[in-house]
Amino acid sequence: MKAARTVFDASGVDAPAKEIADLAGVGVGTLYRHFPLRSDLVKAVVESGIDACAAAGPELSAVHEPGDALAEWLRRYTEFLGTKRGLAPALHSGGPAYEGLSGYFLEKVGPALTALLDTAAADGAVRDDVSAHDLLYAIANLCMPVPGKGPEYNRRMSPCSSAGCAPRAGASRPARRADRTRVPEMGSVGR
């Protein structure tokens, strides 16, 4: 599957099966024994990417400040979406292998991003009125292929969406993580 992911990232989901098999060091017959239909292989690669995005949330939260963890997760999500040329048409082709993939995506990735957003909002790093659903779809739209542009365009444009999550000017911000042990000033209690 790693070979398929690499080839799909470089050449799109319509890349020749021989290219995938050659990179994996197997024959095309072996590839088709494991994945009888191209849609089976595409689905497996997509599910693997979804699982990696979901798993990255807690991992990033453990080592980064909330706003930085969110930004890094969004960068990875953008990379996942932006490098899968031809994925959207394939997924919307009506192939039976893709049934349920949208639900699987939301079930796995939604909670991971919600946790990152909630933590970042509590830390004052982002607005508290942006949902995971809002951000997932905004970035997905920014990652749609643009004629004549490659994945680097998506990488450059995606931060525009997350920049819109910054706290509004004049909005009160909670104390930073390191400052949360301090007693709040009297004027800030109850705000």
Side-chain angles (χ1 to χ4, degrees):
M1 188 161 24
K2 182 179 179 183
R5 184 174 27 254
T6 300
V7 170
F8 288 170
D9 288 353
S11 304
V13 298
D14 292 325
K18 181 163 178 18
E19 187 177 343
I20 297 166
D22 288 350
L23 184 60
V26 300
V28 174
T30 300
L31 178 66
Y32 283 120
R33 269 193 298 284
H34 291 282
F35 302 100
L37 302 172
R38 175 172 295 274
S39 59
D40 296 328
L41 181 58
V42 171
K43 180 181 178 187
V45 169
V46 170
E47 285 179 342
S48 171
I50 290 169
D51 293 343
C53 278
E59 293 168 4
L60 293 168
S61 290
V63 296
H64 295 288
E65 289 291 322
D68 294 338
L70 176 62
E72 176 60 21
W73 191 91
L74 291 172
R75 186 195 64 73
R76 291 182 187 193
Y77 174 63
T78 300
E79 191 71 23
F80 168 66
L81 293 178
T83 57
K84 303 294 183 274
R85 288 181 282 150
L87 180 61
L91 294 178
H92 296 292
S93 67
Y98 305 130
E99 289 178 20
L101 199 54
S102 177
Y104 182 81
F105 170 79
L106 291 173
E107 175 186 305
K108 294 286 189 168
V109 175
L113 180 53
T114 296
L116 288 164
L117 274 171
D118 289 349
T119 304
D123 195 55
V126 297
R127 298 165 40 169
D128 62 0
D129 64 340
V130 177
S131 73
H133 184 269
D134 296 336
L135 208 45
L136 288 172
Y137 286 102
I139 291 175
N141 285 329
L142 284 172
C143 288
M144 294 297 289
V146 176
K149 306 286 184 183
E152 66 282 346
Y153 179 81
N154 304 118
R155 287 184 205 105
R156 187 171 59 82
M157 294 308 299
S158 177
C160 295
S161 180
S162 55
C165 295
R168 287 184 222 99
S172 63
R173 294 180 55 136
R176 296 287 300 157
R177 181 185 280 183
D179 297 338
R180 288 195 177 142
T181 56
R182 290 192 333 209
V183 176
E185 296 176 28
M186 286 303 279
S188 66
V189 176
R191 283 191 191 170

